[in-house]
Amino acid sequence: MEQGVHLKKAEDLYAYSCTHGFGKGLNRAWGTNSFRLVEQAMDEDEFAFLTFIGLHRFHSMSAHQRNFAYAVTNKRIMMAQMRSFSRTRMESVPLNAVLNLSFDNNASIGIAKIHLANDAICVGLSQESVDALSKRFTELLPVIQQYAQQLPPMEN
């Protein structure tokens, strides 16, 4: 199963997140600049097919690393943040390192959780965004699994 969305440019990555209700971040400039980090870090043969914005490493409304831009590519999940004075933060996780994805929607905020062998990355989102994102991840699960199987095995 081939996914038809192939995003590479920061403006397109940001527009996809906004258009689909997956988060807008602080403002357009912040979103575009954060997704530009993703664009610059992508391999030549890499593209994103899902993007979103949320509160990185979310524990509570007062304990998180602020908004990050997330891109699910044909190789990995990329997480980037443009900070003041051109400081940046960047993480990525190969698709074949992801053990599970879960979504919770409680009374105040939604949580997307990326489960890894020795870690779990929690992302805080609005209730509407987590509902929309959960639905889209469910639709894309076969595509994500297909891309993960094409990657070299993880080293222990």
Side-chain angles (χ1 to χ4, degrees):
M1 172 184 279
E2 178 64 26
Q3 170 59 31
V5 176
H6 291 120
L7 306 167
K8 296 230 15 134
K9 298 290 182 195
E11 294 79 7
D12 298 332
L13 297 166
Y14 180 70
Y16 183 92
S17 181
C18 293
T19 301
H20 290 86
F22 301 151
K24 296 182 180 197
L26 303 173
N27 56 46
R28 182 175 191 77
W30 175 91
T32 304
N33 287 335
S34 291
F35 278 118
R36 188 154 336 281
L37 299 172
V38 171
E39 175 187 343
Q40 292 167 348
M42 274 196 240
D43 296 337
E44 193 169 312
D45 63 340
E46 190 171 16
F47 57 87
F49 56 90
L50 175 66
T51 63
F52 59 101
I53 295 172
L55 300 172
H56 190 62
R57 303 256 178 208
F58 183 87
H59 297 286
S60 71
M61 287 306 291
S62 60
H64 54 75
Q65 295 179 7
R66 298 190 180 153
N67 278 313
F68 268 60
Y70 297 81
V72 181
T73 77
N74 56 317
K75 295 182 177 186
R76 55 192 163 160
I77 299 175
M78 301 174 76
M79 302 156 256
Q81 179 190 59
M82 177 60 73
R83 299 172 67 194
S84 57
F85 308 110
S86 298
R87 294 180 300 153
T88 63
R89 284 201 242 174
M90 184 82 170
E91 293 180 43
S92 70
V93 176
L95 289 180
N96 58 356
V98 177
L99 300 178
N100 194 15
L101 298 166
S102 65
F103 301 89
D104 296 315
N105 193 347
N106 66 28
S108 61
I109 193 161
I111 305 291
K113 191 179 283 190
I114 304 165
H115 300 270
L116 308 170
N118 297 317
D119 193 11
I121 300 169
C122 295
V123 182
L125 300 141
S126 71
Q127 293 173 336
E128 298 81 15
S129 292
V130 83
D131 287 343
L133 192 59
S134 172
K135 182 179 178 193
R136 190 67 180 135
F137 262 111
T138 300
E139 295 167 355
L140 290 174
L141 187 58
V143 174
I144 294 168
Q145 290 172 329
Q146 177 187 10
Y147 285 132
Q149 291 172 355
Q150 295 172 3
L151 296 172
M154 296 291 300
E155 294 181 18
N156 293 337

